[in-house]
Amino acid sequence: MSPRWGRRLGAFVFLGPGVAYLAVLLLVPLALILSYTVFRRGRFGGIVYEFTTENFSRLFDPLYLDVVLASVKLATLTTVFALLLGYPTAYLIARLPRTWKTVALVAIVLPFWTNFIIRVYAWTILLSGPGLINSALGTQLELLYNHGAIVTGLLYSYLPLMVLPLYAAIERLDPQLREASANLGASAFTTFRRVTLPLTLPGVATGCLFVFVPSFGNFVIPEILGGGRTATVGTLIRAEFLKSRDWPFGSTLALAVIVVLIVLLVIQSWVSRRG
Amino acid sequence: MSRIRYTRRLPVVVVAAGLALAVAACGGESSTDSAKPAPSAAAQLDAKADLSKQSLTVTVWPGYTPKELADKAKAKLGISKVDITEHDTNETAMTKLTTQGGESIDVAFVSGQYAQALNEQGLLEPIHAELIPNLSNLYPEATQLSYDKGNKFSVPYTWGTTGICYRSDLVKAEPKSWKDILTPPEWADKKVSMMTTERWLALPALKVLRYSVNTDKDEELAKAKELLLAAKPHVIYDDVTFGQKLQSGETVMAEAWDGWCPTTDPKKNIKFVVPSEGSDLWVDTMVIMKSSKNKEAAHALINYILDPEIHSWAATNINYKVPNKAAMDKVEKPEGSLLGISPAELLQGESIIDLGEASAKYTRLSTEVAAK
């Protein structure tokens, strides 16, 4: 066997299982979703194999555009807050002594060890009318069932996804660059603005992508913390599949989300390459 | 009547069903909807069939039948194997039953309007009454259900209605009308929950307007939408945990299915009322799939479930009324319990029926209410 063939065989043996896994569990379902978008709705959750473009024109119905915009707004707010909170956190962790760094990173990941739904429900105990926050403050604030509650829930759930890539980016930063900047007379703020931030932009882009995408598609948090009063792309897709039995339109909405995701990925990779 | 449950199985269901569909499509079956009703003459069933050569697969909501049902039925009836599988909602059941022609399922539990829809597709075996002598245990009213008069293709398992579940200690006036939900008084602002499942979201508004809960008229639905949108700033939406919200005092009133209203709460301050404008009658039924190869065993199982000992389990354990007089006679009905609602009272409610293509109007209505 020539070395070239050996390498090919090696690639096949090592890549084969992974590629097969992705093909079966990612590409086939994606292809199915794609194919459903051009057929009609079956009365009972099935598909009628008659070609139609109606699902796509429905996407541009102001009703659904409003829902998409509402989701974009919620996800953007969440991402901005996550960045504002996540950057200083990551920065601090990166400057901690080695032992404390590990402790801090474990603390960031720790919530993921508990079931997501339970963590979201826990927020209702904190935020509800007779809940802990109101009792502690002696107030009657309406904290639950509004956009604020949804953003709080999303922020809480996805903040670690912002902190971790930012931490990785800041950690990689050569401290000598900051020292050089300071030696050349730059203030701490200028150093941050002209050295640290531009060099960690790929981390910022990755973190923003990691927070924006799940916030955009989430349906559990708007239902539990939003009291079901806010329709988002996620709640809409869920309703189309489970309540309205409209698989083709649900698939079309899912496809729209995938397209948004691809656009964001392209932006993220562009930022990373420039960084 | 677990119509809605949070499901983490959605992707699996969708992918599996999708693959099944793709396979079906390759096999030349163009559509699940194209199934034509089969010839009307039902095959004769053998009353003396050897059940030990038959096995059953049943699909049912989780926790809706006794845990030991499969083992007991096997022992009692001599059926070789009884498999109980579960579905979270009617919609998932319909997916299971229509995408594969229900071939893997013998007996299914679905709500009345879904049984009607399955029958219209020709997927159901007619009920052979001679194989189910325990049908005589049913209340006479239970044979007069509008979606299936005479129990021709379905056998009712539980029934009930939708009303207002409320905290008698936290309301300043006992609710009487659906208006109490749609235009809550100031002290109940945002402490009222409504359902989001399409048909039940529309129900309070349709009843206040004195329209049918099965209307498909655009102008009536538009008026209902106005009421629902006016209600939106003052209510929250919850199909699943409204009982817990009432118990914790987070809400004071909820649009609720009677079986889900926790009137058996130890503090005894949760009550249920059917509003003056009337409500619906929901029925969860048992059906036998036409594709089943074990129809004698399927009939025997339904007959066994109609046994008062077995059927009363639902009333005793999950607090649902059963349309079985002999079973209900055995059940204790403590004060305040909803088990005392009589069949005659229930039948005053309007049955929710399958609307076919017009159901898309309710989908749009609920999306519009959610999106505003």
Side-chain angles (χ1 to χ4, degrees), chain B residues 146-221:
Chain B
S146 60
Y147 62 86
D148 181 17
K149 284 208 157 74
N151 308 121
K152 291 194 172 70
F153 54 81
S154 65
V155 176
Y157 177 68
T158 52
W159 60 3
T161 185
T162 310
I164 302 176
C165 185
Y166 64 99
R167 279 284 294 263
S168 56
D169 57 331
L170 295 180
V171 293
K172 291 193 180 160
E174 310 260 310
K176 290 188 185 76
S177 155
W178 284 117
K179 286 181 193 152
D180 295 314
I181 290 274
L182 290 171
T183 46
E186 208 178 319
W187 49 263
D189 198 48
K190 293 205 186 76
K191 290 186 172 172
V192 171
S193 73
M194 287 185 68
M195 292 184 183
T196 50
T197 309
E198 295 165 4
R199 304 291 296 275
W200 284 278
L201 170 76
L203 184 139
L206 292 174
K207 282 293 169 191
V208 162
L209 293 163
R210 308 277 169 187
Y211 298 148
S212 160
V213 294
N214 296 310
T215 183
D216 59 356
K217 292 188 186 123
D218 292 331
E219 64 278 12
E220 295 190 353
L221 288 168

Side-chain angles (χ1 to χ4, degrees), chain A residues 87 90-91 94 162-174 178 195-207:
Chain A
Y87 203 102
Y91 196 86
M162 178 66 90
V163 173
L164 294 177
L166 279 176
Y167 165 78
I170 296 168
E171 177 75 7
R172 267 201 307 271
L173 208 63
D174 188 346
R178 277 203 305 269
V195 179
T196 312
L197 187 62
L199 287 174
T200 51
L201 264 190
V204 171
T206 310

Side-chain angles (χ1 to χ4, degrees), chain B residues 270-292:
Chain B
I270 294 185
K271 299 211 161 94
F272 181 85
V273 62
V274 176
S276 54
E277 297 92 348
S279 187
D280 68 334
L281 161 70
W282 60 260
V283 187
D284 286 345
T285 71
M286 300 176 275
V287 296
I288 299 172
M289 301 306 291
K290 181 156 266 162
S291 55
S292 165

Side-chain angles (χ1 to χ4, degrees), chain B residues 51 54-56 77 79 107 294-302:
Chain B
L51 298 187
Q54 299 196 1
S55 64
L56 286 180
L77 307 171
I79 302 173
V107 176
N294 307 298
K295 293 183 182 115
E296 287 88 356
H299 280 83
L301 178 76
I302 291 179

